[in-house]
């Protein structure tokens, strides 16, 4: 589950149905209210979702089954999500990651995306460009089977 910086929107990945669901968050109770018009198809086996903490306008999903990352725009008024072009170089709705990406995080400035790749023992680092598209910056080796990645200010 990922929430936007305003605390209004929440996104949930569904591994079995290969989609991402959007919810608004009730500010009094914290309850999740489905955005009925939004269920976006991710690639195969989406495992983790992160929303740009700077603007809240873009979300990224690590897809374990296809070893890639999907990108979405987030409507701040309705919390609806739409899949966008994820790759600034090759184009397309996904960008390649390492093997079995399992965790994803956007740094606090909203400039970079980090993906822990369980199957290839590394972290993919992407820069976020215009319109939320990604460009691979680095693939950094880690210890065996990284399962989580986070960033702090």
């Amino acid at each position: 589950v990922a929430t936007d910086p305003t605390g209004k929107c929440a996104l949930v990945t569904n591994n079995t149905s290969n989609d991402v669901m959007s919810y608004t968050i009730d500010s009094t109770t914290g309850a999740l209210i489905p955005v009925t018009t939004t269920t976006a198809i991710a690639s195969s086996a989406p495992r983790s979702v992160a929303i740009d903490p700077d603007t809240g306008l873009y979300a990224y999903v690590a897809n374990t089954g296809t070893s890639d990352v999907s990108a979405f725009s987030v409507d701040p008024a309705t919390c609806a999500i739409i899949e966008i072009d994820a790759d600034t170089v090759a184009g397309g709705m996904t960008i390649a990651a390492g093997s079995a990406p399992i965790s994803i995080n956007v740094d606090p400035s909203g400039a970079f995306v980090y993906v822990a790749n369980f199957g290839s023992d590394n972290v993919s680092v992407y820069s976020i460009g215009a319109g939320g598209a990604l460009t691979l910056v680095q693939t950094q080796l880690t210890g065996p089977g990284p399962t989580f990645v986070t960033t702090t200010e």
Side-chain angles (χ1 to χ4, degrees), residues 15-111:
N15 185 63
T16 304
S17 56
N18 296 323
D19 59 20
V20 181
M21 295 184 69
S22 179
Y23 299 85
T24 57
I25 301 170
D26 183 295
S27 62
T28 303
T29 67
L32 299 178
I33 303 152
V35 176
T36 57
T37 59
T38 303
T39 299
I41 302 300
S43 223
S44 176
R47 286 293 173 103
S48 181
V49 59
I51 298 175
D52 167 13
D54 185 42
T55 67
L57 296 178
Y58 302 106
Y60 302 93
V61 175
N63 301 300
T64 301
T66 46
S67 295
D68 57 23
V69 173
S70 300
F72 300 88
S73 66
V74 181
D75 182 327
T78 65
C79 299
I81 55 175
I82 299 170
E83 193 169 19
I84 59 173
D85 188 357
D87 190 335
T88 57
V89 177
M93 301 310 249
T94 61
I95 188 168
S99 176
I102 197 161
S103 176
I104 194 164
N105 186 265
V106 180
D107 82 300
S109 73

Side-chain angles (χ1 to χ4, degrees), residues 5 28 49 62 77 81 91 112 123 127 132 139:
T28 303
V49 59
I81 55 175
F112 300 100
V123 171
S127 62
T139 302

